[in-house]
Amino acid sequence: MSFAAVALGGGHGLHATLTALRRVTDDVTAVVTVADDGGSSGRLRRELGLLPPGDLRKAMVALAGADPSSALWATLFQHRFGGTGALAGHAVGNLVLAGLLEQLGDPVAVLAEAGRLLGVRGRVLPMCTEPLSIEADVTGLDDDADVVRRIRGQVAIATTPGRVQRIRLHGPGGPGEAPRGCAEAVEAVLAADVVVLGPGSWFTSVLPHLLVPELHDALVRTSARKVVVLNLVPQPGETDGFSPELHLDVLCEHAPALRVDAVIADVDAVPVPDRLRRAAAALGAAAHLAPIAVAGAPDRHDPTALASAVTRALAGPGDGTGGASSTTLQEDRTSRGGEAPWR
């Protein structure tokens, strides 16, 4: 089986999706958020003015080859320096990517070059080729719970004790400058057979893709089957107290024109399945509930179980309407000559 799959997200959530997708297809493209401002990535971004490399590194490791040389490079990319000096906390892969960015300039070329070291199967692309900033409207930070405060920065948003209402993205010039999507990422979404959004930090890793105008347009226009994978547990700070269906409501608020084919959620993480089915139907999707968490670790997706859930979601009806089989995906791709019907 082989179909063109594009996964959008960042961090550990995207790593889980990529690890699952590579079990069912050899043609996987990761489109990665580039707004991180914390940890090693944040330091490199502030000191060198470069694209934050951490989430890009994690995606590359998820798609790395299984041969001994690729496995060694993948392990090295994840290694972090200890101690208390200038290198403390930096991942080796972050430094390699930062060095390549200074040498080559073009992030797409950098990721292709690094991908050869790791024997990457598929591609890793940045959401945008310049670092972005996230801004959020947050309530619950004052005695008056309705007062809206503006918080800036991915780390600040991810750890706020308030309730995030809405996010905005800014280009490197700050407020007023719209982010510009990576052309190769936009092309990958338009040419895909399957697009997967989530899991991951909802406001800082998943929703940002919908706020890049070119990517938003591509996600709305693509003829690919679109799958949303929900988180297993609420994330402290970002989505404390969020029900599974509220995640979909927020998705719809940020991208009202987006329609989805399937929503996948862990069966044990959905207290009221009917509510999720209704929320999925509002996006045009069928809800697919399955055990997709690691046994004994309810906050971690099991890649094999997630791969099976994605396959089932594409092959037929879930808890709602139907999907499409992998055979149908291949037939669709052949019938349109690999092109989207509006071209």
Side-chain angles (χ1 to χ4, degrees):
M1 180 197 311
S2 184
F3 52 85
V6 174
L8 300 96
H12 297 295
L14 180 59
H15 186 283
T17 303
L18 296 173
T19 307
L21 285 175
R22 66 180 295 175
R23 285 165 161 76
V24 295
T25 180
D26 293 324
D27 188 352
V28 181
T29 298
V31 177
V32 186
T33 52
V34 289
D36 193 3
D37 60 359
S40 169
S41 287
R43 288 163 60 192
L44 291 169
R45 174 177 176 168
R46 288 188 295 274
E47 293 170 13
L48 303 175
L50 300 174
L51 212 61
D55 285 347
L56 296 165
R57 182 197 84 246
K58 291 172 187 172
M60 297 191 74
V61 169
L63 294 177
D67 61 279
S69 177
S70 299
L72 174 61
W73 275 106
T75 301
L76 181 63
F77 260 50
Q78 293 290 70
H79 175 75
R80 287 188 185 273
F81 291 104
T84 57
L87 290 178
H90 277 303
V92 171
N94 288 358
L95 299 177
V96 172
L97 292 176
L100 282 171
L101 281 165
E102 288 202 331
Q103 288 289 313
L104 303 180
D106 177 11
V108 175
V110 164
L111 293 166
E113 191 65 37
R116 282 189 276 274
L117 284 176
L118 278 74
V120 165
R121 290 171 47 197
R123 285 191 301 170
V124 176
L125 297 169
M127 178 175 74
C128 301
T129 57
E130 297 177 297
L132 304 180
S133 299
I134 302 181
E135 181 180 87
D137 292 334
V138 179
T139 57
L141 297 176
D142 297 85
D143 292 337
D144 183 346
D146 294 327
V147 171
V148 177
R149 296 288 181 184
R150 188 165 292 178
I151 292 182
R152 294 182 177 90
Q154 179 170 322
V155 171
I157 294 168
T159 57
T160 179
R163 191 178 184 90
V164 180
Q165 301 294 328
R166 191 168 189 86
I167 61 166
R168 289 173 294 278
L169 277 185
H170 302 307
E177 181 179 327
R180 291 178 294 179
C182 170
E184 290 83 356
V186 171
E187 291 167 6
V189 170
L190 290 174
D193 296 309
V194 177
V195 172
V196 181
L197 193 63
S201 301
W202 213 244
F203 285 101
T204 56
S205 291
V206 178
L207 296 181
H209 292 85
L210 303 173
L211 303 183
V212 177
E214 296 90 346
L215 267 180
H216 172 275
D217 182 58
L219 287 164
V220 170
R221 293 170 56 209
T222 184
S223 58
R225 312 290 179 181
K226 284 166 277 191
V227 179
V228 171
V229 181
L230 293 179
N231 292 337
L232 297 169
V233 295
Q235 181 178 357
E238 281 199 32
T239 54
D240 259 336
F242 273 44
S243 64
E245 54 271 15
L246 184 53
H247 285 74
L248 297 183
D249 292 343
V250 169
L251 183 72
C252 188
E253 287 173 6
H254 282 78
L258 182 68
R259 289 296 173 264
V260 177
D261 296 284
V263 173
I264 295 174
D266 183 73
V267 64
D268 294 327
V270 182
V272 188
D274 282 345
R275 290 181 185 170
L276 180 63
R277 294 185 188 107
R278 287 194 294 271
L283 289 167
H288 295 260
L289 306 185
I292 55 174
V294 172
D299 60 341
R300 290 172 48 208
H301 284 89
D302 181 313
T304 302
L306 181 56
S308 297
V310 171
T311 301
R312 288 194 299 272
L314 298 174
D319 294 29
T321 56
S325 68
S326 57
T327 302
T328 303
L329 290 171
Q330 291 294 81
E331 290 172 349
D332 285 352
R333 187 176 178 83
T334 302
S335 68
R336 56 187 167 95
E339 297 273 312
W342 55 86
R343 290 180 180 170

